[in-house]
């Protein structure tokens, strides 16, 4: 099992990797994304699976008849955040193919169709909205909204899709496809240290926190950095900076999370006071009331600072995902399978919540979904330092194979 896992891992490893940072830059509809997609297709074909790309650009590798219904689907995504780690997304896809190899080695007899997926643009690194492929399929993102998305260079999503050889007019809800799925299971590297602390290599997801992204546009007045008196300035960078501190304070007060991790400045010159500072707030919390308290607190503070400094402020919610409580029946069935087979050598398999978004969370509104997490010894994620040990990756493959065998085989 570890041989096939490692062969895949090695072949995927160089794609979209920056030599400078050691991180991945696999953004939707770029050359690196195309190479990842070719890699996926090659893995499907090498296993005699039927490769298919749906109307939203998500990839599917089918064993059995896709039209038969009640399919068991597993997979994740291959795109990355800027300078992301090797595991977030790819671990789920590679483990899915490796789990199928393991089931074939065991001589498992499939009683339900099985599919492996690569969902497009999960991270939203290029167009600002996460889980575009699964959101479109699930009808949680309209075609019109998707067509309006633009990247930092002003390239629209339709232009990017067309340049990559896809038809942007085809995108939209795909209820017939989702209706064929009986269960979706996504394996993912843990993005925290719960498994490290509990001493378990594999866990099962309980819930995903509600989370979203808000764009704050602070508009002031461009002027000369060397000649404009401090008292004459309308500098939006100062208001932005105060807002960043407010975000930290509000998150601490309410017990949620708030991060400004991306910023765009105009005109972005060293010797010019900016005319515009655009910052994106990512906020998450264990429950909706806490999330609302954090975001409204940050917005209230930003408006006060802006008013005082003569800065115009617009706040736009760019995306939002409500709390996801993974289906209990599927989750409990998976835990039973793992505990019975001792897949990870543990008598009980821990249940964990997460603040990270996933395609499984999006799909959970339409189909029964579940997630497996693989231990991350440092908890670091969305960073080149993201890691899982070889032994834990193999334990993850074995757990996924056990789960798929329990769900899809006689
Ligand atoms: C995706 O990884 C997210 O949680 O932003
Ligand atoms: Mn991620
Ligand atoms: Mn991910």
């Amino acid at each position: 099992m570890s041989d096939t896992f490692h062969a895949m891992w090695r072949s995927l490893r160089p794609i979209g990797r920056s030599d400078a940072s050691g991180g991945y830059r696999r953004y939707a509809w770029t050359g690196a994304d195309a190479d990842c997609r070719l890699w996926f297709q090659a893995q499907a074909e090498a296993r005699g699976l039927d490769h298919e790309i749906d109307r939203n650009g998500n990839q599917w590798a089918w064993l059995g008849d896709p039209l038969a219904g009640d399919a068991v689907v597993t997979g994740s995504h291959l795109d990355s955040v800027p300078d992301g780690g090797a595991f977030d997304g790819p671990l789920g896809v590679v483990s899915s193919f490796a789990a199928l190899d393991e089931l074939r080695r065991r001589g498992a007899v499939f009683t339900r169709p099985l599919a492996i997926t690569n969902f497009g643009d999960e991270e939203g690194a290029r167009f600002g909205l996460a889980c575009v492929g699964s959101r479109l399929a699930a009808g949680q993102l309209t075609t019109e909204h998707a067509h309006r998305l633009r990247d930092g260079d002003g390239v629209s999503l339709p232009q990017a899709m067309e340049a990559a050889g896809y038809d942007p007019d085809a995108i939209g809800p795909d209820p017939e496809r989702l209706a064929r799925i009986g269960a979706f299971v996504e394996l993912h590297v843990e993005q925290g240290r719960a498994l490290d602390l509990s001493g378990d290599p594999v866990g099962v997801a309980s819930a995903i926190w509600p989370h979203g992204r808000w764009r704050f546009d602070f508009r002031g007045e461009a002027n000369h950095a060397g000649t404009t008196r401090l008292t004459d300035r309308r500098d939006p960078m100062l208001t932005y900076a105060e807002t960043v501190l407010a975000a930290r304070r509000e998150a601490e007060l309410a017990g949620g999370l708030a991060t400004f991790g991306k910023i765009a400045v105009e005109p972005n010159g060293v010797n010019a006071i900016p005319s515009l500072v655009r910052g994106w707030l990512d906020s998450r919390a264990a429950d909706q009331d806490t999330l609302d308290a954090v975001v409204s607190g940050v917005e209230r503070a930003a408006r006060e600072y802006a008013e005082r400094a003569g800065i115009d402020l617009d706040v736009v919610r760019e995306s939002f995902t409500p709390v996801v409580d993974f289906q209990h029946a599927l989750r409990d069935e998976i835990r039973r399978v793992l505990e019975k087979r001792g897949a990870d050598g543990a008598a009980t398999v821990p249940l964990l919540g997460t603040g990270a978004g996933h395609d499984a969370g999006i799909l959970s509104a339409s189909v029964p979904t579940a997630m497996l997490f693989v231990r991350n010894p440092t908890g670091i994620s969305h960073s080149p330092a993201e890691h899982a040990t070889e032994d834990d990756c193999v334990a993850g493959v074995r757990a996924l194979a056990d789960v798929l065998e329990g769900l899809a085989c006689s």
Side-chain angles (χ1 to χ4, degrees), residues 165-245:
Y166 290 79
D167 176 9
D169 292 328
I171 65 175
D174 208 348
E176 293 87 8
R177 177 172 293 274
L178 296 193
R180 294 178 208 148
I181 304 175
F184 175 66
V185 182
E186 178 170 1
L187 177 146
H188 205 279
V189 68
E190 197 200 346
Q191 297 166 293
R193 288 191 55 224
L195 292 172
D196 186 52
L197 295 172
S198 69
D200 297 285
V202 176
V204 173
S206 55
I208 298 179
W209 288 9
H211 58 281
R213 298 177 181 183
W214 288 259
R215 197 185 75 224
F216 284 58
D217 288 350
F218 300 91
R219 287 195 167 77
E221 184 176 51
N223 213 331
H224 196 297
T227 60
T228 316
R229 295 186 317 161
L230 294 180
T231 50
D232 290 341
R233 299 180 180 206
R234 284 175 53 227
D235 183 349
M237 187 64 86
L238 295 180
T239 315
Y240 170 68
E242 290 176 296
T243 305
V244 174
L245 297 177

Side-chain angles (χ1 to χ4, degrees), residues 77 81 88 122-123 130-131 188 191 211 213 282 284 355-358 381-382:
H77 62 97
V81 295
D88 178 355
E122 193 273 349
E123 297 286 8
C131 300
H188 205 279
Q191 297 166 293
H211 58 281
R213 298 177 181 183
D282 176 307
R284 312 179 187 219
H358 299 286
S381 186
H382 285 186

Side-chain angles (χ1 to χ4, degrees), residues 15 69 78 227 273:
I15 300 175
L78 293 174
T227 60
I273 297 160

Side-chain angles (χ1 to χ4, degrees), residues 49-337:
L49 307 177
D50 291 327
H51 176 251
E52 201 189 1
I53 300 173
D54 70 24
R55 57 185 298 190
N56 295 306
N58 305 308
Q59 286 180 289
W60 300 74
W62 284 97
L63 176 71
D65 180 3
L67 301 179
D70 202 26
V72 175
V73 181
T74 184
S76 190
H77 62 97
L78 293 174
D79 68 314
S80 79
V81 295
D83 283 335
F87 295 80
D88 178 355
L91 184 64
V93 178
V94 170
S95 298
S96 297
F97 284 116
L100 172 60
D101 295 344
E102 168 64 9
L103 290 179
R104 284 175 159 167
R105 193 193 61 75
R106 292 180 190 174
V109 176
F110 287 84
T111 51
R112 294 166 77 177
L114 179 82
I116 295 172
T117 51
N118 167 32
F119 282 102
D121 200 3
E122 193 273 349
E123 297 286 8
R126 183 169 176 192
F127 296 101
L129 181 65
C131 300
V132 169
S134 56
R135 271 187 214 275
L136 279 166
Q140 294 179 29
L141 168 64
T142 63
T143 309
E144 297 71 33
H145 185 168
H147 277 189
R148 287 198 303 273
L149 293 173
R150 285 183 183 274
D151 71 8
D153 296 322
V155 178
S156 71
L157 178 70
Q159 287 167 333
M161 285 185 79
E162 221 155 19
Y166 290 79
D167 176 9
D169 292 328
I171 65 175
D174 208 348
E176 293 87 8
R177 177 172 293 274
L178 296 193
R180 294 178 208 148
I181 304 175
F184 175 66
V185 182
E186 178 170 1
L187 177 146
H188 205 279
V189 68
E190 197 200 346
Q191 297 166 293
R193 288 191 55 224
L195 292 172
D196 186 52
L197 295 172
S198 69
D200 297 285
V202 176
V204 173
S206 55
I208 298 179
W209 288 9
H211 58 281
R213 298 177 181 183
W214 288 259
R215 197 185 75 224
F216 284 58
D217 288 350
F218 300 91
R219 287 195 167 77
E221 184 176 51
N223 213 331
H224 196 297
T227 60
T228 316
R229 295 186 317 161
L230 294 180
T231 50
D232 290 341
R233 299 180 180 206
R234 284 175 53 227
D235 183 349
M237 187 64 86
L238 295 180
T239 315
Y240 170 68
E242 290 176 296
T243 305
V244 174
L245 297 177
R248 172 69 185 221
R249 192 178 61 237
E250 294 297 330
E252 277 173 0
L253 274 173
L257 298 172
T259 309
F260 277 98
K262 177 175 165 180
I263 181 172
V265 180
E266 289 178 14
N268 208 21
V270 182
N271 52 359
I273 297 160
S275 56
L276 168 73
V277 175
R278 175 168 284 160
W280 281 266
L281 171 70
D282 176 307
S283 188
R284 312 179 187 219
D287 60 79
Q288 187 64 48
D289 288 350
T290 307
L291 180 62
D292 290 344
V294 175
V295 176
S296 62
V298 179
E299 182 170 349
R300 197 177 326 109
R303 291 204 181 280
E304 277 168 27
Y305 300 138
E307 165 121 30
R308 219 176 44 211
I311 299 295
D312 295 325
L313 171 63
D314 288 314
V315 180
V316 178
R317 188 178 85 176
E318 290 199 333
S319 69
F320 175 69
T321 307
V323 67
V324 172
D325 188 16
F326 285 108
Q327 203 212 49
H328 291 205
L330 181 61
R331 174 187 102 180
D332 294 346
E333 188 179 347
I334 284 175
R335 285 179 90 202
R336 262 196 309 277
V337 167

